[in-house]
Amino acid sequence: GYSIFIEGLYSTQSFRLQCNKVLNKNNSAIVFRDYDAGTPENEVNINVKTVQSGISGVSGSGRTAVELAGKGFVNINEIICPVKGSCLVHTGGNIIANIIKLTTYDSSEPAVWVGDGDESQDLKLYFNEIKNLNTTSGDAVKVTQGIVNIIGRKIYSSKGLSLDLKENIVSAYFQCNEIISGTKGINIFNNSKAIIIQANFIEGSNGHYGVIYSYVRTNLVLRNAKIKNTSTSSSTPYSICIYIYAGSFEQFFKFENVTIVTGNTSTGETLYLPVTGAED
C-alpha cells in the first residue's frame, strides 16, 4: 500500500505533512487523489526533507513517489526513485512546488510527468536538478496535459528524452540553465499556445531525429539558447540540431538569440526541414 493516501470524495480534504522522511519500499510514498467532477479541491501542504520509493539494489521495488491532484504548496528537498517510478506525477489542480532534487532510474517512466489526469492541471515547479539516470532509456520531463511553469538549473536524461512535450498541453514555459540528453533530445508536438523554452544550453545526440524534433502543428519559442548536437556521425542518423517535420500542417517558430551547432560540419544539419513535393 501507499505510505500516505488522501482521497477526496464529495468534499474537500485538507492535509498538512511536516516530517524528515517518507519511505515506501514497494509502492508510492505520497498520493493525493480526487474523484469529484471538476477541479480537484484537496488542500495540499507538504514539507518534507526526503521522499523515496523503492530500495536501491532491490529489483522491481518502488512506484511513483509523489502523485498529486489538488491545490496547495509542496516543499521537498529530495525525491528519489532508485529503481522504478516517477518522482512526481501531477494529475489535477493547482500546485506550487519547490523541490530541490528529483532523481529516478526508471527506463519507462519520466522523472516528472504532468498528465494522466483532468487536462486542466497547473504546476509551477522550482527545482535545482531533474534527472533520469537509467542506463538504457527513460525520460526526464514529460508533459501531456495542462499548464506548466518549470524553472530551475538542470534537466538531464542519460539515455532518454530530456523533454517530451505533446498532446493536450494548454501552455508550457521552461527556464533552465541546462537541458541535456546524453543520447536523444527534446520531442515536441503541440497545437495550442506556444511552448516557450529559455535555456542557456540545450544538448542532445542522434538517438532521436534531432536535438529538438518538432512533429506537425508545433508552436515553439526558443530564447537565449546554444543548441548543440554532440554526435559527429557522418551517416544516418545524422547530427541534426532542429528537425522540423511539418507534413501538410503549419508550424510556428520564433528564435530569439539562439546559436545552433552541429557536431559534424560536413554532413550534419543545423536546421533540417524534409521537403515533400512542392512544400518548403
Side-chain angles (χ1 to χ4, degrees):
Y2 310 130
S3 299
I4 295 171
F5 182 38
I6 305 297
E7 181 181 59
L9 283 172
Y10 311 116
S11 63
T12 298
Q13 304 292 321
S14 179
F15 185 81
R16 179 174 181 178
L17 173 67
Q18 183 168 345
C19 65
N20 285 330
K21 187 171 185 176
V22 181
L23 168 66
N24 195 305
K25 294 182 179 180
N26 296 302
N27 213 319
S28 297
I30 300 172
V31 176
F32 285 77
R33 288 181 182 163
D34 191 298
Y35 292 105
D36 289 347
T39 303
E41 295 297 328
N42 288 331
E43 294 182 359
V44 179
N45 193 321
I46 299 173
N47 289 275
V48 180
K49 289 184 178 180
T50 304
V51 178
Q52 180 174 329
S53 174
I55 301 298
S56 181
V58 179
S59 177
S61 67
R63 294 292 185 272
T64 292
V66 179
E67 178 187 327
L68 297 177
K71 60 183 180 180
F73 303 91
V74 175
N75 290 283
I76 300 173
N77 285 359
E78 181 175 15
I79 303 176
I80 183 168
C81 298
V83 182
K84 292 183 63 179
S86 295
C87 297
L88 173 65
V89 174
H90 185 210
T91 62
N94 191 328
I95 297 291
I96 299 175
N98 181 26
I99 304 173
I100 296 175
K101 190 174 182 179
L102 305 96
T103 307
T104 186
Y105 291 79
D106 197 301
S107 62
S108 58
E109 299 297 332
V112 174
W113 182 17
V114 181
D116 197 29
D118 66 1
E119 300 186 8
S120 68
Q121 59 264 62
D122 187 339
L123 174 66
K124 295 177 179 64
L125 173 61
Y126 302 91
F127 70 97
N128 183 50
E129 290 183 346
I130 298 173
K131 297 189 294 185
N132 190 322
L133 299 180
N134 189 273
T135 58
T136 59
S137 60
D139 302 334
V141 176
K142 180 179 181 180
V143 182
T144 57
Q145 293 176 346
I147 300 168
V148 295
N149 288 267
I150 296 180
I151 300 170
R153 185 181 66 86
K154 184 175 183 177
I155 295 174
Y156 176 79
S157 172
S158 178
K159 297 293 183 180
L161 297 168
S162 51
L163 300 177
D164 188 13
L165 314 175
K166 57 188 179 183
E167 297 174 9
N168 298 314
I169 296 174
V170 177
S171 69
Y173 174 75
F174 294 85
Q175 181 179 332
C176 304
N177 183 48
E178 300 177 352
I179 301 176
I180 297 175
S181 170
T183 59
K184 294 185 178 180
I186 296 172
N187 187 69
I188 299 176
F189 171 32
N190 72 306
N191 57 1
S192 55
K193 291 179 63 177
I195 290 172
I196 300 173
I197 300 177
Q198 181 168 313
N200 291 333
F201 303 99
I202 298 175
E203 291 187 0
S205 192
N206 63 340
H208 201 43
Y209 294 95
V211 176
I212 297 176
Y213 174 64
S214 64
Y215 180 76
V216 306
R217 299 180 180 178
T218 293
N219 190 349
L220 174 65
V221 176
L222 286 175
R223 293 177 179 162
N224 304 322
K226 179 179 179 180
I227 302 168
K228 181 179 180 180
N229 194 317
T230 58
S231 171
T232 59
S233 174
S234 59
S235 58
T236 306
Y238 298 108
S239 181
I240 298 173
C241 293
I242 300 177
Y243 188 118
I244 301 172
Y245 181 82
S248 59
F249 298 94
E250 289 184 316
Q251 296 206 45
F252 300 92
F253 294 88
K254 186 176 182 180
F255 299 156
E256 301 175 1
N257 191 31
V258 173
T259 302
I260 304 174
V261 180
T262 179
N264 188 306
T265 57
S266 297
T267 60
E269 300 282 355
T270 53
L271 185 62
Y272 180 69
L273 174 64
V275 176
T276 303
E279 296 175 2
D280 290 326

